[in-house]
Amino acid sequence: MLNVALPKGRLGNKAYKLFEKIGFDCNEMLDDSRKLVFENKEKGIRYFLVKPSDVPVYVLHGAADVGVVGKDILLESNASVYELLDLGFGKCKICVAAHKDFHDNTNTTLRVATKFLNIASNYYNSINRNIEIIKLNGSIELAPITGLSDVIVDIVETGNTLMENNLKIIHEIIPISARLIANKSSFQFKNDIIEKLKKSCEEALNDKNI
Ligand code: PRP
């Protein structure tokens, strides 16, 4: 059995559609249920539905052999797993954004609101900028509007949330998309099936007819 951790939600649905196309279908997945484990014994596949930020945890500890996760979560987790493939969907970017009228005063400590603590710290370390991180869990855009922070480090997809809240992009830190990841031991011991999965995904993503 190959154990696959999929993130609950849109990204997980897209990933499952891809796996279904390459022969790792599992009809149970299409049922509207509260189940978290779905398997197709014939195809030798078992899917776990997990919270997106927990995908690297399941894969790191080998509870799942492979997983699908956004590059943002992967970077933030710092998990020692193999990143096998850029799946190309779930595209967005991690940006620094601030109020439209914001001007940086480099003599002061910059207050940065974010849920991406590592990504934000690494970025500001790389440019030697003194910051104070304010950890939030959501609605990050509210921080500069209310005066809680000077800037935010957050996901930008369409840009609508920024626009509707009078915020602007100051800097694009990194482009993001979904990645196929593997547990390091699983990659060794289940190499044939994991390589097959990777190759089939690559072919399916390249084939515009699929
Ligand atoms: C994400 C992100 C931004 C928004 C960006 O939030 O944190 O707020 O999407 O998307 P856009 O550029 O298309 O407007 P999410 O909806 O995940 O909710 P959150 O505020 O709880 O993080």
Side-chain angles (χ1 to χ4, degrees):
M1 275 289 189
L2 186 72
N3 296 309
V4 183
L6 291 182
K8 282 184 187 172
R10 229 167 18 144
L11 202 68
N13 292 341
K14 278 195 174 178
Y16 173 69
K17 289 278 166 216
L18 174 65
F19 292 159
E20 189 183 39
K21 275 175 192 160
I22 61 172
F24 293 104
D25 50 290
C26 179
N27 280 340
E28 265 193 318
M29 288 282 284
L30 306 169
D31 297 348
D32 192 16
S33 78
R34 300 283 296 166
K35 277 186 73 167
L36 299 171
V37 180
F38 303 86
E39 64 179 42
N40 183 341
K41 285 207 175 83
E42 248 170 61
K43 297 284 168 80
I45 196 97
R46 185 185 293 125
Y47 293 105
F48 305 141
L49 289 188
V50 312
K51 194 178 153 84
S53 54
D54 290 339
V55 169
V57 182
Y58 279 85
V59 175
L60 174 67
H61 293 280
D65 301 305
V66 298
V68 172
V69 63
K71 178 73 177 176
D72 51 333
I73 288 169
L74 191 56
L75 281 171
E76 193 58 33
S77 78
N78 231 344
S80 179
V81 295
Y82 290 133
E83 186 180 323
L84 300 181
L85 189 62
D86 183 347
L87 297 171
F89 52 78
K91 280 192 175 156
C92 55
K93 51 198 175 185
I94 292 193
C95 295
V96 180
H99 193 268
K100 278 198 168 126
D101 304 329
F102 171 77
H103 291 288
D104 194 3
N105 175 358
T106 49
N107 295 320
T108 61
T109 299
L110 189 71
R111 295 168 308 151
V112 182
T114 189
K115 58 183 164 192
F116 299 107
L117 308 188
N118 293 333
I119 294 171
S121 306
N122 289 342
Y123 167 64
Y124 282 106
N125 272 342
S126 77
I127 60 166
N128 282 321
R129 181 75 171 90
N130 234 352
I131 61 164
E132 174 198 348
I133 294 234
I134 299 165
K135 185 188 182 317
L136 290 178
N137 299 299
S139 300
I140 316 292
E141 290 83 357
L142 198 54
I145 299 170
T146 56
L148 177 65
S149 76
D150 302 307
V151 301
I152 60 173
V153 168
D154 199 19
I155 294 283
V156 177
E157 193 178 345
T158 60
N160 289 342
T161 312
L162 291 184
M163 202 179 63
E164 289 183 24
N165 290 290
N166 293 319
L167 303 176
K168 64 178 178 186
I169 293 175
I170 307 280
H171 177 74
E172 297 185 7
I173 299 180
I174 188 162
I176 300 297
S177 55
R179 307 298 158 103
L180 178 66
I181 60 172
N183 173 271
K184 289 186 170 176
S185 307
S186 301
F187 190 70
Q188 200 179 341
F189 294 110
K190 299 188 181 180
N191 190 263
D192 287 356
I193 179 76
I194 294 177
E195 285 288 9
K196 182 184 166 219
L197 177 79
K198 178 189 167 188
K199 195 160 175 281
S200 302
C201 281
E202 259 172 330
E203 284 167 3
L205 292 168
N206 287 332
D207 185 349
K208 300 282 178 273
N209 298 317
I210 293 186

